[in-house]
Amino acid sequence: MCGITGFIDFRKDSSEEILAQMSCSVSHRGPDGQGVYFTELKNAAVGLGHRRLSIIDLSAAANQPMHYDGLHLIFNGEIYNYNEIRKQLMALGHQFQTRSDTEVILHGWREWGEKSIDRWRGMFAIALFDERANELICIRDRGGVKPFYYYWKDGLFLFGSELKTMIAHPGFEKNINPGAVASFLQYGNVPQPHCIYKYVHKLPAGYLLRFDLNSREIKNRQYWNVYDYYNQPKLKISFNEALDETENILKESFQYRMVADVPVGVFLSGGYDSSCVTALLQKNSTEKIKTFTIGTTDKNLDEAPFARQIAERLGTDHTEYYCSPQEALDIIPQLPYYYDEPFADSSAIPTILVSRMARKKVIVALSADAGDEIFAGYNRYDYLLKHGKKLQAMPRVMRKAVAEVMEAVSPENIPYFNKQYNFHSRYRKLRNLLKDPSPFEMMKNLSQVFTSYEINDLFNENIAELPTAYNSRELKPGFYDPLSYMMAIDYQTYMVDDILQKVDRATMSVSLEGREPFLDQSIIEWVARLPSEYKYHQGNKKYILKKIVYKYIPIEMMERKKMGFGIPVEKWLQNELKDLLEEYLSDQYLDKHKLFKPGYVQNLIQLFFNGRTDLYLKIWYLLMFQMWYEKWMH
């Protein structure tokens, strides 16, 4: 796990010193070493910078950039099956100087070119300069575990693991993209391929970029797509056969994530996903797996006792840490530094806390994300499947009539209900769904905090909605069902831009490598083709995954109300963060960028403090944007 950065500068204003500064900006991603490659070609200056966190082959011989036969490589991530690929290459006559996966990528690329990607099982963000072809090749892993940003303007191409690497270059222009600000306020993140800055893009998950230095042409190609598996006939297989094969695939994929020359542990929350990872790994290990749980002093939000019970049941080497509310609050001012693009998921706070705890004992931690997207775990799937059919069953004329009445009556004017928590938001979302109860509209309503109408009311100028994977129509009619539709959308949006971004920045903030065992491509390529009722069965989410877990952990230990490590943002905004709120959302601060109407923002705050506590997420999103703006735009 590392940090990468670099440039192609046709103006030749970039130097090796600038490259070193860019690399230093992400020293937290790689404290074990820094390397640079700099060359001046006839038409451009080329630089590759690397910060190393040593995980596989700890020797200096495995440092990057690494070079072989006219190829120059920097790489962030891990290829878990590199030993198998290495043997294949040795059979073809290749000789190796190290035991690293980096060298395997180089030799594999020279042997097979793009086809070598098909062999990789891992997480990766790669920049490869081929001096023979005079081109830069950039590759991002299938799930989007590792980040990759790039900037292209006026003959200057920059790239990096985080935006701060490019900001460190004196030629980088910090111009805000208003459409990206709007998307952030809707989703709590800026969806790929967009970025908060103009001229900057995220290389989407599963994509490869080729930059020809002769023609200065950039070509993006999608080499892997989750829809290729959802757009296949469902497997005709019994549930018991599916259960056995799913468990075998999970075991193999999880075991690959234990490949390392340093200590490895697992984040254990006590939920189904982390319990599944821990159970399958502990079963096949002669040593006790190290597990880590963060607890909170609020008993209503604390899952640490449940995680402890599961750790005792499985026999792991368990560590738990109870954090005080003040420790969590103290992280908030640091968020804009580590999340250098606006980011509003408050669970970043406990993720940073558990990372700090784990880093004292291990250098690699497995985080059991993506189980919800793969096995149908989100409550919104419940909502769609239970309520969507009812709404769609209503005659269109009736739906239209009710929606028109709701349009005419403000939720403020409905006695009793107007005092109920979140009533106003639910009222508006129901009104929208009565107009159009399609899964597409449901997905949008259940994913957005600020609606398109509210965005228009908030911004000083009209904002065009950015095209994102939320609008995807790639699921073919012949293979369409509402559950597959929502899961595929989540896999390409919420999972990549929220969950994986959260974990990457949180773990890297303390130089901890975060690995994602559920994101081996073999898992989604298999589960996407299973019948939907194996995943969501008679109202039971994650059905097949739960059946696997019950083999190792009794059902009575698992079947409880899920709490999660809840951050009481609503309460904090009313109390501990009130001064911060008044400062950053003041007319004076809003005037710095003039994006928002101050009157609209002040009205939101007034409503919130007058009892409309359901508005807390909108205010939190605005606060996170303002704090980011103050950190990075001045």
Side-chain angles (χ1 to χ4, degrees):
M1 183 70 68
C2 309
I4 63 172
T5 189
F7 53 70
I8 307 288
D9 185 357
F10 293 98
R11 301 177 301 195
K12 294 193 175 182
D13 292 331
S14 302
S15 64
E16 191 168 332
E17 289 72 27
I18 289 172
L19 181 60
Q21 289 167 16
M22 294 168 72
S23 293
C24 281
S25 71
V26 286
S27 57
H28 54 279
R29 294 188 75 93
D32 298 333
Q34 175 167 305
V36 297
Y37 167 77
F38 178 82
T39 185
E40 283 216 3
L41 307 175
K42 284 183 182 178
N43 64 338
V46 176
L48 304 176
H50 187 263
R51 292 291 312 202
R52 185 178 184 197
L53 178 62
S54 304
I55 303 292
I56 292 174
D57 188 345
L58 309 184
S59 72
N63 287 350
Q64 299 179 39
M66 194 176 280
H67 318 279
Y68 170 70
D69 196 18
L71 297 173
H72 310 275
L73 175 72
I74 49 177
F75 158 50
N76 170 28
E78 308 289 351
I79 306 298
Y80 302 114
N81 63 333
Y82 74 99
N83 272 323
E84 291 137 64
I85 302 170
R86 191 173 189 264
K87 288 174 185 173
Q88 294 165 11
L89 287 162
M90 288 175 74
L92 294 169
H94 288 260
Q95 296 181 339
F96 292 87
Q97 309 302 314
T98 72
R99 294 182 296 103
S100 73
D101 51 348
T102 311
E103 192 178 12
V104 169
I105 294 171
L106 277 168
H107 283 253
W109 193 268
R110 192 47 93 203
E111 181 68 37
W112 299 304
E114 279 188 29
K115 290 191 179 302
S116 60
I117 303 173
D118 298 339
R119 299 169 190 260
W120 300 343
R121 294 176 72 169
M123 55 181 185
F124 44 87
I126 290 171
L128 178 70
F129 177 60
D130 186 340
E131 64 180 67
R132 281 193 212 164
N134 205 26
E135 73 170 344
L136 180 74
I137 300 113
C138 306
I139 316 164
R140 190 175 180 197
D141 64 71
R142 296 166 180 84
V145 180
K146 293 293 100 194
F148 193 99
Y149 293 90
Y150 66 96
Y151 168 92
W152 175 229
K153 186 177 187 289
D154 297 337
L156 179 64
F157 182 89
L158 305 171
F159 64 88
S161 299
E162 298 182 16
L163 287 171
K164 53 180 71 71
T165 66
M166 296 181 282
I167 293 169
H169 192 290
F172 180 80
E173 292 184 16
K174 291 196 287 186
N175 297 303
I176 280 189
N177 176 358
V181 179
S183 286
F184 162 73
L185 291 172
Q186 288 182 304
Y187 302 110
N189 56 69
V190 179
Q192 62 175 9
H194 308 290
C195 179
I196 197 65
Y197 296 116
K198 291 178 182 175
Y199 317 116
V200 180
H201 308 272
K202 299 181 183 87
L203 185 63
Y207 270 73
L208 174 145
L209 176 154
R210 286 184 177 271
F211 186 8
D212 187 321
L213 274 64
N214 297 319
S215 66
R216 302 192 185 187
E217 187 178 14
I218 294 175
K219 290 182 179 176
N220 281 358
R221 182 180 78 80
Q222 188 173 23
Y223 67 85
W224 186 90
N225 189 349
V226 71
Y227 284 101
D228 289 343
Y229 303 92
Y230 278 109
N231 285 326
Q232 288 188 30
K234 297 298 183 193
L235 296 168
K236 290 181 168 54
I237 184 173
S238 74
F239 180 78
N240 285 335
E241 288 173 314
L243 187 70
D244 291 342
E245 184 59 19
T246 302
E247 183 173 350
N248 289 335
I249 291 170
L250 291 177
K251 278 180 188 172
E252 182 192 50
S253 300
F254 296 174
Q255 202 59 50
Y256 267 129
R257 269 71 189 168
M258 298 299 286
V259 173
D261 295 329
V262 294
V264 181
V266 180
F267 292 155
L268 178 63
S269 69
Y272 279 97
D273 301 338
S274 63
S275 297
C276 181
V277 171
T278 306
L280 294 185
L281 285 175
Q282 190 60 73
K283 181 196 174 191
N284 294 309
S285 176
T286 53
E287 296 181 7
K288 289 189 171 188
I289 300 289
K290 290 180 170 62
T291 53
F292 302 91
T293 298
I294 195 89
T296 173
T297 51
D298 186 339
K299 298 299 179 191
N300 295 320
L301 300 173
D302 185 26
E303 282 198 317
F306 302 113
R308 190 188 316 131
Q309 287 176 12
I310 289 164
E312 289 170 357
R313 173 82 187 187
L314 297 174
T316 71
D317 176 5
H318 191 60
T319 303
E320 63 182 37
Y321 177 75
Y322 277 82
C323 78
S324 67
Q326 191 56 50
E327 283 178 278
L329 278 162
D330 288 345
I331 286 174
I332 292 174
Q334 302 169 40
L335 291 175
Y337 176 74
Y338 292 113
Y339 295 85
D340 52 11
E341 185 173 50
F343 188 74
D345 187 340
S346 62
S347 64
I349 296 168
T351 310
I352 290 172
L353 285 168
V354 75
S355 298
R356 288 178 180 177
M357 174 182 63
R359 186 61 173 85
K360 293 173 183 175
K361 294 193 174 185
V362 298
I363 299 174
V364 174
L366 276 57
S367 181
D369 303 299
D372 289 319
E373 289 84 355
I374 296 169
F375 289 99
Y378 287 127
N379 289 334
R380 56 180 168 268
Y381 303 154
D382 257 339
Y383 189 94
L384 171 73
L385 296 169
K386 288 176 181 175
H387 303 299
K389 288 178 183 175
K390 293 175 187 174
L391 286 172
Q392 289 158 15
M394 283 178 68
R396 189 169 177 273
V397 177
M398 186 188 296
R399 280 194 286 105
K400 187 181 177 187
V402 176
E404 285 174 356
V405 171
M406 293 180 76
E407 194 90 55
V409 179
S410 168
E412 288 287 350
N413 299 328
I414 301 176
Y416 176 73
F417 291 104
N418 61 4
K419 304 293 184 192
Q420 300 302 304
Y421 183 78
N422 215 18
F423 173 69
H424 297 72
S425 174
R426 289 173 179 168
Y427 184 89
R428 292 191 179 95
K429 286 183 176 181
L430 177 59
R431 183 187 63 202
N432 293 340
L433 290 174
L434 283 166
K435 293 177 185 174
D436 178 4
S438 66
F440 171 78
E441 194 61 33
M442 276 202 168
M443 189 69 179
K444 205 158 76 168
N445 269 274
L446 295 170
S447 301
Q448 291 182 349
V449 169
F450 280 87
T451 66
S452 301
Y453 301 107
E454 289 167 332
I455 290 293
N456 288 330
D457 290 339
L458 169 65
F459 278 74
N460 279 314
E461 296 178 9
N462 286 334
I463 304 293
E465 189 173 334
L466 298 177
T468 69
Y470 284 102
N471 302 319
S472 173
R473 293 289 195 269
E474 289 181 82
L475 189 59
K476 294 176 181 175
F479 305 102
Y480 182 93
D481 68 74
L483 186 66
S484 295
Y485 168 77
M486 290 189 90
M487 290 167 67
I489 294 282
D490 271 332
Y491 199 91
Q492 291 196 323
T493 55
Y494 181 70
M495 184 186 80
V496 185
D497 298 313
D498 188 297
I499 302 297
L500 297 181
Q501 182 175 193
K502 174 188 73 181
V503 175
D504 174 80
R505 305 306 190 279
T507 53
M508 284 282 88
S509 73
V510 291
S511 309
L512 177 73
E513 171 165 296
R515 294 182 175 179
E516 300 288 355
F518 278 108
L519 279 173
D520 194 290
Q521 67 265 30
S522 64
I523 297 175
I524 186 65
E525 290 174 5
W526 164 257
V527 179
R529 293 179 293 141
L530 290 180
S532 289
E533 59 268 24
Y534 290 2
K535 291 164 262 188
Y536 184 93
H537 183 72
Q538 296 178 358
N540 195 355
K541 302 188 291 291
K542 289 187 183 172
Y543 185 66
I544 194 167
L545 185 75
K546 288 177 178 179
K547 290 291 186 183
I548 292 169
V549 172
Y550 296 150
K551 292 183 181 182
Y552 305 95
I553 303 168
I555 187 170
E556 56 270 18
M557 286 181 71
M558 297 302 305
E559 280 297 299
R560 62 182 191 276
K561 185 182 177 184
K562 184 170 174 60
M563 293 185 291
F565 185 107
I567 291 296
V569 171
E570 178 189 321
K571 181 176 82 68
W572 283 356
L573 289 172
Q574 291 171 307
N575 299 286
E576 293 90 343
L577 298 179
K578 190 174 182 181
D579 290 345
L580 212 61
L581 201 62
E582 289 174 352
E583 178 185 0
Y584 282 103
L585 296 187
S586 66
D587 289 359
Q588 177 192 350
Y589 264 77
L590 293 170
D591 194 51
K592 291 183 178 184
H593 51 67
K594 297 181 170 60
L595 286 165
F596 312 139
K597 295 171 186 167
Y600 185 94
V601 175
Q602 300 314 327
N603 185 52
L604 267 184
I605 295 170
Q606 191 175 358
L607 287 169
F608 174 70
F609 283 113
N610 285 342
R612 284 286 310 282
T613 52
D614 59 296
L615 296 172
Y616 82 93
L617 266 185
K618 288 183 169 67
I619 290 168
W620 174 255
Y621 280 30
L622 286 166
L623 177 62
M624 290 297 99
F625 175 76
Q626 291 294 102
M627 290 179 70
W628 171 86
Y629 188 89
E630 182 65 16
K631 171 67 184 172
W632 292 107
M633 295 305 291
H634 288 93

